[in-house]
Amino acid sequence: MTNKVYPVSDKWAENALLDAGTYEEKYRRSIDDPDAFWREEAQRIDWIKPFTEVKDTSFDQADFRINWFSDGTLNLSANCLDRHLAARGDQPAIYWEPDNPADEARTLTYRDLYEETCRFANALKANGVKKGDRVTIYLPMVPEAAVAMLACARIGAVHSVIFAGFSPEALGNRIEDCDSDIVITADEGKRGGKTIPLKANVDEALDHHAHVSRVIMLRHTGADVPMKQGRDIDWAEAVNNQPAECEPEEMNAEDPLFILYTSGSTGKPKGVLHTTGGYAVWTSMTHQYSFDYRAGDVYWCAADIGWITGHSYIVYGPFANGATNVMFEGVPNYPDFSRFWQIVDKYKVSTLYTAPTALRALMREGDQWLESTSRASLRVLGSVGEPINPEAWEWYYHKVGNGQCPIADTWWQTETGGHMITPLPGAHALKPGSASKPMFGVKLQIRDAEGTVLEGACEGGLVITDSWPGQMRGIYGDADRFFDTYFSAFKGTYFTSDGCRRDEDGYYWITGRMDDVINVSGHRMGTAEVESALVLHEHVSEAAVVAMPHEVKGQGIYCYVTTIAGVEGDDTLRKELIKLVRHEIGPIASPEVIQFAPALPKTRSGKIMRRILRKIAENDTSSLGDTSTLADPEVVDQLIAGRPDV
Ligand code: WT7
């Protein structure tokens, strides 16, 4: 924590889209008269049939419902493409930068993106995809990923994008969960000079999930991959002869737009469902205000399309606003640690939006990697995915941004659809490490464990007391789980599962997850998911997984494993277990530490005391708290003694 405050500079105060006074006035209105506020904000979207009703929502169990603009109709693909053609058909929509800078970069204008999307939308239809069908997308960071998403939105199909770092097993489970019978993929992806065998992964996934009848495969690296007769077709072949026009489907505001799987406290990832109208308004509005976005800006969100950040702030928000987007296939450290800054200079990027983990990884390599670049085009910097530590914040601000660019530290979740807490450039003084102030329409409360609302400066659980347009509408295929997961902890409110502190200036500081979710490099992992993978091994009898602090990743995965009688935990087993987790979930879930434990600390009723396991993983054993309820207190000493030196 730091007490530093960076006031709004004169230059920003004079030129900001929203200044401090406007923020206050708009925020007030959004809370006092949401109907009028959202009626006005919704005009940023072109509606086919205008809505009459704005907000019809309740978080109470008896009449629980979330409806926004619900009698309006629209098409989000048309909002992202068609309506820009007249004024900016020739403006770049995507500057695509390949993994290897020696390969050829691509530019797609809005007209190109429109035509590619229409062709692919027609191809989807020709392959039997209809409104409401689920389409699984498993693609690398190439323009076709955006094309595939926008094509689904165009014909009213519901996309489910699976991050290319997920394993065949995880991919297969997600295909099955949403009952999708078509998969869009590529031969291979590329990241940091390595290839990812996407098509081979799809083949493996489909060995166990056989009802998929169609795989459309983009040739990206040109690798020689087997094609299954009757099931697999080339993207090029699929779009060949398809017209470059496709009438957008008229969608109701509350029709599903996409499903995106994310981890929670339980073993099974949940399919977060977002709908069309409210999400469109929310992502367009937040993209504009959070980043002080202006026409002509070159905007770069360095996230992956496989996460909500990619959905909301590479695709829907920026395209709805007609932005020029940089899309990068690669990683920050390839071919060297100056790659990000090279890209900023190459495309004259005005807004860079990235994650603290990337900043920490670059920061520790030293400032010499910044020196050959100017980054003079930068105007606004963004941070997302986890709390940004003040050291990384200061480096981002002073070194990357030359002390000129406000940092939008955007707190939000897959569930919230878009930004919920962030300082607005030019409106808010900045406090390094604080996500700062609520977005318009966001009503926050901090509660203690008993549910009492805390006032003034305080710390507790962060809840949201009223609906906002970008909110998720359900868990795909499991209506009850939606209410139980988010609205039952504190009656009548949405519980974020994040801890939060509010300071005397009303600034919000996110302290991290309060549930069994680990944030590894900004990626959400459920401890239960990793545990389920570990216990699949025949030599494992029990496993408990907790977070450990990690210098670059923010958090790492720390596993306690007990073996079955007669088996000793050794390095061979350790390697097998890591392989198993990577097989079940993917490389992003690789355990940092596996500690073999003779037993796990349990209460007399058999409940694992995770608090103790967390403390040991954090190497903070001076304050273990009350261990008197443990069935066998000696276990704790054995665990401390057996902690590997990491
Ligand atoms: C969790 C949501 C938001 C899109 C990417 C992650 C943490 C996210 C911040 C931030 C502190 C943050 C929270 C949240 N988180 N942004 N700026 N400051 N914490 O989405 O995978 O749904 O994860 O990420 O713990 O609950 P997600």
Side-chain angles (χ1 to χ4, degrees), residues 46-94:
D46 286 355
W47 300 85
I48 299 171
K49 179 163 135 321
F51 55 87
T52 58
E53 184 155 16
V54 175
K55 180 175 186 284
D56 172 35
T57 70
S58 164
F59 288 174
D60 291 326
Q61 186 153 26
D63 54 354
F64 181 74
R65 62 192 191 279
I66 304 172
N67 297 303
W68 284 89
F69 317 113
S70 61
D71 59 351
T73 64
L74 73 159
N75 183 283
L76 188 43
S77 164
N79 270 278
C80 289
L81 302 169
D82 312 32
R83 65 171 175 159
H84 301 316
L85 292 181
R88 45 175 137 254
D90 298 326
Q91 177 198 304
I94 300 179

Side-chain angles (χ1 to χ4, degrees), residues 119-129 135-140 144 148 151-152 181-187 198-199 202-203 206 212-219 227-228 230-240 242:
R119 271 197 204 97
F120 195 67
N122 287 323
L124 287 174
K125 284 200 211 170
N127 281 282
V129 179
V135 174
T136 300
I137 298 176
Y138 187 63
L139 281 170
E144 285 78 5
C152 287
D181 55 20
I182 179 164
V183 178
I184 318 299
T185 192
D187 46 6
L198 296 176
K199 176 59 166 58
V202 169
D203 289 342
L206 297 190
V212 167
S213 53
R214 184 61 87 223
V215 174
I216 302 182
M217 188 195 81
L218 177 75
R219 295 219 177 253
M227 297 293 273
K228 189 169 168 186
R231 187 194 69 183
D232 304 349
I233 58 167
D234 266 24
W235 176 297
E237 196 185 308
V239 298
N240 191 26
Q242 290 296 350

Side-chain angles (χ1 to χ4, degrees), residues 251-269:
M251 303 300 288
N252 186 272
E254 286 299 345
D255 279 339
L257 177 67
F258 65 83
I259 300 166
L260 185 58
Y261 286 89
T262 192
S263 298
S265 301
T266 59
K268 203 170 153 240

